[in-house]
């Protein structure tokens, strides 16, 4: 774990894996420090911003984090229905040496954690993807990915809240309300949430 000061009242925590990001995020969140005003996980970093004078309390929490220990941080559980008919389902299956039906069973059989959000409002990067489904992005990204598309890329799976360009391998689609600016909580998913995908027709 490496700590980099960001201005007078924030610290950027650098780690080596998505699991370590979750360990840091979960520890700071669980500490419920009144000094913390913002907690922003990313792929390999966590930014912790505090009120003036709040960094010593954060540093004490970080000093106690054991990055190798399993994280037991109960988040919300969110179910997302998916129609598995994506344009890259056969490609993902062939790359993994599986049938499309086996891809669906693997994808729906895992429990995912929202590691961080970014790229577009409501876009959650989910860890926990089974190893055979961890595949590279497409060689040539699409100029437009339909809203609701569910895809895989590297160690992550995700659902696109709106139509954007993208290079993820698309295996299905959902009509779950991933982002609605008029809701009290606009994004369906937040870091630390647990997610299960459910196959529907």
């Amino acid at each position: 774990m490496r700590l980099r000061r960001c201005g007078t009242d924030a610290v950027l925590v650098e780690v080596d894996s998505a699991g370590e990001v979750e360990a840091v995020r979960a520890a700071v969140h669980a500490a419920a420090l009144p000094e913390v005003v913002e907690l922003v996980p990313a792929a390999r970093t966590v930014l912790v911003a505090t009120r003036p004078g709040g960094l010593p309390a954060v540093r004490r929490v970080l000093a106690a984090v054991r990055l190798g220990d399993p994280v037991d941080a109960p988040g919300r559980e969110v179910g997302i229905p998916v129609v598995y008919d994506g344009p890259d389902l056969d490609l993902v299956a062939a790359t993994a040496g599986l049938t499309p039906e086996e891809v669906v069973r693997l994808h729906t059989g895992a429990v995912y954690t929202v590691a961080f959000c970014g790229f577009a409002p409501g876009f959650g990067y989910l860890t926990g993807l089974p190893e055979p489904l961890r595949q590279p992005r497409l060689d040539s990204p699409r100029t437009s990915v339909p809203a609701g598309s569910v895809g895989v890329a590297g160690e992550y799976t995700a659902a696109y809240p709106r139509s954007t360009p993208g290079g993820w391998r698309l295996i299905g689609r959902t009509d779950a309300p991933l982002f609605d600016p008029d809701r009290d909580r606009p994004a369906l998913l937040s870091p630390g949430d647990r997610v299960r995908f459910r196959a529907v027709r």
Side-chain angles (χ1 to χ4, degrees):
M1 182 188 304
R2 297 163 297 280
L3 306 183
R4 298 188 183 278
R5 191 77 175 259
C6 294
T8 58
D9 301 305
V11 63
L12 186 70
V13 185
E14 296 181 339
V15 292
D16 296 324
S17 70
E20 293 181 355
V21 166
E22 176 58 9
V24 171
R25 185 210 65 79
V28 176
H29 179 76
L33 298 173
E35 297 90 346
V36 172
V37 295
E38 194 166 17
L39 181 61
V40 185
R44 297 292 182 269
T45 62
V46 181
L47 178 69
V48 187
T50 72
R51 294 185 173 89
L55 285 182
V58 171
R59 289 180 182 275
R60 286 192 292 273
V61 170
L62 294 175
V65 175
R66 298 186 180 201
L67 295 179
D69 290 352
V71 177
D72 183 19
R76 290 186 315 138
E77 293 193 2
V78 181
I80 297 180
V82 178
V83 177
Y84 285 92
D85 61 356
D88 303 317
L89 180 59
D90 288 341
L91 171 63
V92 170
T95 302
L98 302 170
T99 66
E101 293 75 19
E102 289 170 327
V103 169
V104 174
R105 280 198 293 274
L106 276 178
H107 196 254
T108 56
V111 179
Y112 303 93
T113 300
V114 182
F116 60 97
C117 297
F119 173 63
F123 191 101
Y125 289 76
L126 312 184
T127 57
L129 189 66
E131 190 66 39
L133 305 185
R134 298 182 183 188
Q135 301 184 11
R137 289 169 168 78
L138 297 172
D139 292 335
S140 179
R142 294 179 170 91
T143 57
S144 180
V145 173
S149 295
V150 175
V152 297
E155 64 185 305
Y156 301 109
T157 187
Y160 285 73
R162 64 182 186 187
S163 178
T164 64
W168 291 39
R169 298 185 179 197
L170 306 180
I171 59 175
R173 54 190 165 89
T174 182
D175 60 3
L178 299 167
F179 186 78
D180 181 350
D182 295 326
R183 290 191 308 229
D184 289 340
R185 182 176 181 154
L188 177 65
L189 303 178
S190 297
D193 288 349
R194 301 290 190 256
V195 178
R196 284 184 179 272
F197 292 101
R198 175 172 52 86
V200 296
R201 294 186 181 277

